[in-house]
Amino acid sequence: MMLHNSTRQRLLSRQAIAFHSPKASQQVLGGGVAADVSALQQQKREFLGKALYNMSRKVMPPISKTEDIALGCGTIGFDRDIFTGNPSLKHLIDTYKPKLSEEETAFLNNEVDTLCSMLNDHQVSLQKDFSREAWDYIRDAKFFAMKIPKEYGGLGFSTAAVSAVLAKLATQCFDANATVAVPNSLGPGELLVRYGTPEQKSYFLPRLADGTLIPCFGLTGPHSGSDATSLIGSHGEVMVDKNGDLGVLATFDKRYITLAPVAGCVGIGLNIKDPHNLLKGKGEEGFSVALLERSHPGLIMGPRHMPLNAAFMNGTVKGEDVWIPMDCILGGQERVGFGWHMFVECLAEGRGVSLPAGSIGAARTVAAGLGAYARVRKQFRVPIAEFGGIQEALAKAGSDGLICISGGDLMNAIVDNHEAPMVVSSIMKQNCTERGRRIVEYGMDIAGGSAICRGDNNYLGNAYMSLPIAITVEGANIMTRSFQIIGQGLTRCHPHMLELIKSLQDETKSPESVATFNRQLKKVISHGASNFGNSIARGLTSVFNTKLRSSKAYQDGDKLLIYHEQQLLRLSANFALTADLCFTLGGKLKFEELLMGRLADTMGAIFLGYATLHHYSRRRGIHGLEAVTEHAMLRLEKEAQDALKAAADNFPGPLGPIASLVMRVACWPLGGFSRVYEAPSDHLTKEVSELLTTPSGMRDFFQENVYMAPEGTRHQVSDLIRALPLCVEADSILRDVKRQKRSPTSEEAVKLAKAEQVRDMLIQVNTFDYLTTEEGQKGYERPALAGTAARLEAQERKRFAA
């Protein structure tokens, strides 16, 4: 390496002094040369640091303005803890304590029950609408105003209360769940509360609270689905009208907008340009939200979509060259270009609360209703609850249901703690809606023919057709899983990456940015090394503890918590290490969606695992909760393990083989012997199934917040739940009679007869004289029968029997 001229001169002068004075040479060479060597090393470090910085800039694409805004929106919390590799269950337990107020509980037990009693799910699906009576009650009882503060006439409910209301509505009618969800999540009511001008708040919020105006939000367009904020086809230009007033001339084309066909006001996402600089620094170009009433000139609302078999209102919002006064921009001129902040921070509630609430309702319905049905329904003279295939499906539905409920409780508490966690809300949306779909599929498999024949007795069919809708809205699950969770999580939640990435965006390549990059890079390397060590240590401990663990260990609640927290800590370290290895891909990571999807599965399983333990710690004491929690935790741990194994097997990029080797050494230090997580045993599966098909504390738990019709009212789910104790008692009598080889007593005979009568009623499916209006007209003949009659007429012999 060439020496700097000044450095060479200093060395020569010192050598000359040393020649004349040996003693001086010791002092000079002992201190001065060491200082120069240190300076050279510093120069080398700076050279290498700058080289690394420049190389990293080449592989890291520039962050767009939209991405930069998104990285600054929302909050981080427990999602960041997972990325550290050391999350704390105690922190969750101490910080988040979901609870309903007396007022909220009363609303659930009164107003929600009243609305449920007005809704016949089958009739709603046929009519594709609610009755005027139901619509008026929804408005008058302020179902649309649960999140609007009381000062504006709303209910001012907590997030936990909104979730509970939506979940209970879903146990009776999914269309009611969807209808009530929108005004209480992505507003524009909530947007008005947070960002509206005083004039906008005073005008709109009281009208939204008393139901005068039904709200909707128009974001998605034909060319902007999951990438809704691209706003293709929805744009506006700042202009001055003939009166000299500032405004926006806008054109927009929105679809899939829930409540649009009946909405009285709509928030519309627009990409606003200001080519003539009319804003003059008050507001800026970009994503903005306009707030328009239905009667606004040029606004076209009314045409409906038909999402599968659903009845909730969903349609289009369009307008061409619509003049929007600046007063109609949500938040006024100051908020022009601020739409991303509004959208992202409010989206956490819609994605993380409202959509999972539907899955929670489905979980409670399947566990309570199908659990009873499996005991009521007999085949081969045996309740189908005794069949292994039914037990497996019920146990999975039960543990998935517990996972959704646990995740919902924690997410609600996080939002009520004034947090807006974008990554956690994405996990909740993607994971819970997918589990909700699986839960209903398990239910359909168990119910068989009674689940595919529509009518009042079918409480699964409409949910089965509705849950795929939840999976597609507010960011399709495929996109959320394979891109959003990890794409945003790595930059937003990693403890050291955000500053590093921002330092690479400095076009001037300032010394401060280079220093920040090098400092953060060291932290990333240290972070990876720490999680490498933790993964090995925790992995070895996990192998030892798991191999020696008794199959009944979960029955001790304290040991249950300790063991599974240890496994989640191990998996968190594995995940954090793998996340660090992803940086070997640089900017190409965003194109490796298979890898990101597997990491999203891992992170989702870890978060929901902690949520399940958080739930157990709050609700322990319920008979059977240990068994269902154990079943859920074993499944979640195996999901995380399998996802990490798939990531290691397929790690992409030029350094993929090295990253894969690092993963294998750290995550599974003893090879396949270290992959200790397995599916629940058959014994545990049978235990969970029995808890759901016989009277138990877990059945009572799942029946919480399920709509129960009044006694004497024919309602399939309510009747199944009420019939279960009788059918269980009847089965016990039959076993005793058979074992004792005797006839039933008169009292037993009465109970057996009553049970058979109830069973016969509850297994019936609905039939109809006709299914269409045309078919019901007098003199109508089905075309196939008309053809049969014509063919028989041509036959010499008209029938076989005389």
Side-chain angles (χ1 to χ4, degrees):
M1 176 178 287
M2 297 292 293
L3 296 180
H4 194 278
N5 287 336
S6 61
T7 304
R8 184 186 295 110
Q9 291 172 358
R10 288 197 303 273
L11 286 174
L12 289 173
S13 63
R14 285 166 184 158
Q15 289 172 355
I17 295 171
F19 179 79
H20 293 290
S21 174
K23 186 174 181 179
S25 72
Q26 294 177 2
Q27 295 174 343
V28 171
L29 293 176
V33 173
D36 285 318
V37 170
S38 177
L40 286 172
Q41 291 175 339
Q42 178 64 26
Q43 289 179 18
K44 183 184 292 186
R45 283 194 294 268
E46 289 177 358
F47 175 81
L48 291 175
K50 192 160 188 179
L52 274 174
Y53 178 82
N54 290 328
M55 184 175 66
S56 299
R57 275 181 57 84
K58 292 179 182 179
V59 299
M60 180 65 68
I63 295 177
S64 68
K65 181 181 178 181
T66 300
E67 290 173 323
D68 189 50
I69 292 173
L71 289 174
C73 293
T75 62
I76 52 175
F78 191 68
D79 39 8
R80 184 188 183 101
D81 294 344
I82 294 175
F83 271 92
T84 67
N86 288 290
S88 167
L89 177 61
K90 184 178 185 303
H91 169 72
L92 285 183
I93 295 170
D94 292 344
T95 306
Y96 304 112
K97 301 175 182 179
K99 185 179 180 181
L100 299 181
S101 68
E102 291 183 6
E103 180 185 5
E104 292 166 342
T105 302
F107 189 86
L108 272 174
N109 295 334
N110 294 290
E111 283 84 349
V112 177
D113 280 1
T114 298
L115 177 57
C116 286
S117 70
M118 294 178 173
L119 302 172
N120 179 302
D121 190 39
H122 177 60
Q123 288 302 315
V124 168
S125 69
L126 292 180
Q127 300 298 325
K128 296 294 181 281
D129 204 349
F130 304 138
S131 67
R132 171 65 184 274
E133 178 189 21
W135 276 112
D136 284 345
Y137 188 76
I138 290 172
R139 296 164 116 153
D140 294 340
K142 301 187 178 183
F143 277 86
F144 290 155
M146 289 188 285
K147 293 296 287 183
I148 294 176
K150 291 185 178 182
E151 64 187 281
Y152 294 105
L155 296 176
F157 279 177
S158 66
T159 302
V162 173
S163 174
V165 169
L166 295 176
K168 191 167 191 176
L169 289 175
T171 68
Q172 171 68 354
C173 178
F174 255 87
D175 293 304
N177 163 279
T179 298
V180 173
V182 168
N184 291 287
S185 53
L186 196 59
E190 188 175 3
L191 293 173
L192 275 164
V193 171
R194 294 194 188 191
Y195 307 110
T197 65
E199 293 79 10
Q200 290 169 345
K201 290 180 180 180
S202 64
Y203 178 84
F204 282 103
L205 288 177
R207 288 168 172 80
L208 292 171
D210 67 16
T212 299
L213 295 177
I214 296 173
C216 70
F217 191 86
L219 185 64
T220 306
H223 301 287
S224 51
S226 293
D227 183 24
T229 51
S230 65
L231 298 172
I232 298 172
S234 297
H235 51 82
E237 182 178 323
V238 179
M239 302 180 71
V240 176
D241 69 4
K242 59 184 179 181
N243 297 320
D245 296 325
L246 203 60
V248 176
L249 189 66
T251 294
F252 42 88
D253 184 3
K254 306 294 186 181
R255 67 179 185 182
Y256 307 154
I257 310 305
T258 298
L259 295 184
V262 296
C265 66
V266 55
I268 300 176
L270 299 168
N271 185 24
I272 293 181
K273 299 295 184 182
D274 183 24
H276 307 295
N277 196 29
L278 297 175
L279 292 173
K280 301 185 185 307
K282 190 178 179 182
E284 60 185 45
E285 291 185 333
F287 179 12
S288 308
V289 178
L291 188 60
L292 306 180
E293 292 178 88
R294 192 178 189 87
S295 58
H296 192 94
L299 177 62
I300 303 171
M301 300 169 65
R304 291 181 68 175
H305 298 303
M306 189 176 177
L308 295 180
N309 193 54
F312 67 88
M313 293 290 167
N314 187 275
T316 59
V317 177
K318 297 184 179 184
E320 185 173 354
D321 293 335
V322 177
W323 177 252
I324 302 174
M326 196 57 70
D327 289 345
C328 292
I329 298 297
L330 186 59
Q333 184 177 337
E334 293 85 352
R335 295 291 187 178
V336 173
F338 198 75
W340 241 114
H341 293 271
M342 299 180 186
F343 175 74
V344 171
E345 293 188 5
C346 290
L347 188 64
E349 190 148 344
R351 289 169 60 85
V353 176
S354 297
L355 291 169
S359 295
I360 291 170
R364 292 191 182 279
T365 301
V366 169
L370 264 297
Y373 178 83
R375 187 61 61 184
V376 168
R377 177 65 165 159
K378 286 187 174 183
Q379 292 285 276
F380 310 105
R381 299 183 179 181
V382 177
I384 63 172
E386 301 300 325
F387 299 165
I390 301 294
Q391 292 169 343
E392 182 179 25
L394 269 175
K396 287 181 177 179
S399 58
D400 271 333
L402 178 64
I403 291 168
C404 289
I405 292 168
S406 301
D409 282 355
L410 179 56
M411 180 67 195
N412 298 338
I414 289 173
V415 175
D416 280 331
N417 197 44
H418 310 294
E419 299 177 41
M422 290 306 301
V423 175
V424 168
S425 69
S426 295
I427 289 173
M428 283 295 297
K429 189 273 175 180
Q430 181 264 324
N431 221 298
C432 289
T433 54
E434 179 56 43
R435 290 181 193 278
R437 173 162 64 177
R438 293 205 307 246
I439 289 167
V440 174
E441 286 174 350
Y442 294 140
M444 294 288 290
D445 290 346
I446 294 167
S450 65
I452 62 172
C453 292
R454 297 182 61 196
D456 292 349
N457 291 353
N458 188 337
Y459 53 95
L460 286 177
N462 287 335
Y464 177 72
M465 289 182 278
S466 294
L467 273 162
I469 300 172
I471 282 168
T472 65
V473 300
E474 296 194 25
N477 276 8
I478 284 182
M479 186 278 293
T480 302
R481 172 184 175 269
S482 63
F483 179 76
Q484 189 174 57
I485 292 173
I486 297 302
Q488 191 170 38
L490 272 174
T491 51
R492 188 77 171 95
C493 301
H494 191 284
H496 310 301
M497 277 307 300
L498 188 57
E499 284 188 63
L500 185 149
I501 290 173
K502 287 189 173 182
S503 72
L504 293 173
Q505 305 304 308
D506 182 4
E507 294 295 333
T508 67
K509 305 179 184 180
S510 68
E512 292 79 9
S513 293
V514 175
T516 299
F517 169 81
N518 287 316
R519 182 175 64 252
Q520 295 304 114
L521 181 61
K522 290 177 184 177
K523 290 181 180 180
V524 169
I525 294 171
S526 175
H527 180 262
S530 173
N531 280 302
F532 181 86
N534 285 339
S535 290
I536 292 176
R538 293 171 185 174
L540 294 173
T541 302
S542 172
V543 171
F544 180 80
N545 290 340
T546 302
K547 294 296 184 181
L548 296 181
R549 187 175 185 241
S550 164
S551 62
K552 298 291 185 180
Y554 65 86
Q555 294 176 354
D556 183 321
D558 291 333
K559 291 181 179 179
L560 172 78
L561 283 171
I562 292 171
Y563 171 78
H564 287 296
E565 185 182 10
Q566 289 175 343
Q567 309 321 305
L568 291 178
L569 280 169
R570 174 198 182 183
L571 290 167
S572 296
N574 296 166
F575 169 78
L577 171 65
T578 307
D580 286 340
L581 292 172
C582 286
F583 297 126
T584 61
L585 296 167
K588 292 183 179 180
L589 173 63
K590 65 170 64 178
F591 304 108
E592 298 295 348
E593 296 181 20
L594 295 176
L595 173 63
M596 289 197 288
R598 289 162 184 145
L599 291 185
D601 292 342
T602 306
M603 187 178 183
I606 292 170
F607 172 77
L608 290 171
Y610 273 103
T612 303
L613 295 184
H614 172 264
H615 177 273
Y616 175 78
S617 72
R618 294 184 304 104
R619 298 296 303 269
R620 62 188 301 178
I622 298 173
H623 172 64
L625 183 57
E626 287 78 15
V628 184
T629 299
E630 172 81 356
H631 197 277
M633 292 304 302
L634 292 177
R635 293 178 66 204
L636 287 168
E637 287 155 6
K638 189 171 190 308
E639 285 177 21
Q641 173 184 268
D642 291 350
L644 286 167
K645 174 66 165 53
D649 289 345
N650 298 277
F651 208 100
L655 299 177
I658 297 175
S660 177
L661 178 62
V662 172
M663 281 189 68
R664 293 175 190 280
V665 171
C667 299
W668 309 292
L670 299 178
F673 191 71
S674 305
R675 291 190 288 274
V676 293
Y677 305 129
E678 298 178 347
S681 68
D682 290 352
H683 179 82
L684 181 60
T685 292
K686 291 177 180 180
E687 181 179 356
V688 172
S689 176
E690 185 175 5
L691 287 167
L692 300 182
T693 59
T694 56
S696 68
M698 280 310 298
R699 271 199 60 81
D700 294 340
F701 164 77
F702 280 113
Q703 286 168 204
E704 293 174 8
N705 212 33
V706 172
Y707 170 67
M708 294 288 288
E711 291 271 7
T713 303
R714 183 72 177 92
H715 182 257
Q716 189 73 357
V717 173
S718 303
D719 292 342
L720 281 166
I721 290 172
R722 290 173 179 139
L724 178 65
L726 173 63
C727 292
V728 168
E729 185 180 6
D731 290 342
S732 177
I733 291 171
L734 286 174
R735 286 194 298 271
D736 289 344
V737 166
K738 184 177 181 179
R739 186 177 62 255
Q740 297 168 13
K741 297 180 181 181
R742 63 175 178 84
S743 299
T745 65
S746 57
E747 182 179 350
E748 289 173 337
V750 170
K751 289 182 179 178
L752 290 174
K754 186 177 181 181
E756 286 305 307
Q757 182 182 9
V758 168
R759 278 187 158 111
D760 184 66
M761 176 189 72
L762 291 174
I763 65 170
Q764 300 302 318
V765 298
N766 299 103
T767 58
F768 306 90
D769 293 331
Y770 57 86
L771 296 180
T772 67
T773 303
E774 181 184 10
E775 193 180 8
Q777 292 177 353
K778 187 176 181 179
Y780 175 82
E781 186 176 15
R782 294 178 180 128
L785 291 179
T788 300
R791 290 168 182 265
L792 285 174
E793 186 63 30
Q795 298 290 325
E796 181 176 345
R797 185 177 179 181
K798 308 300 181 186
R799 56 183 295 173
F800 176 76

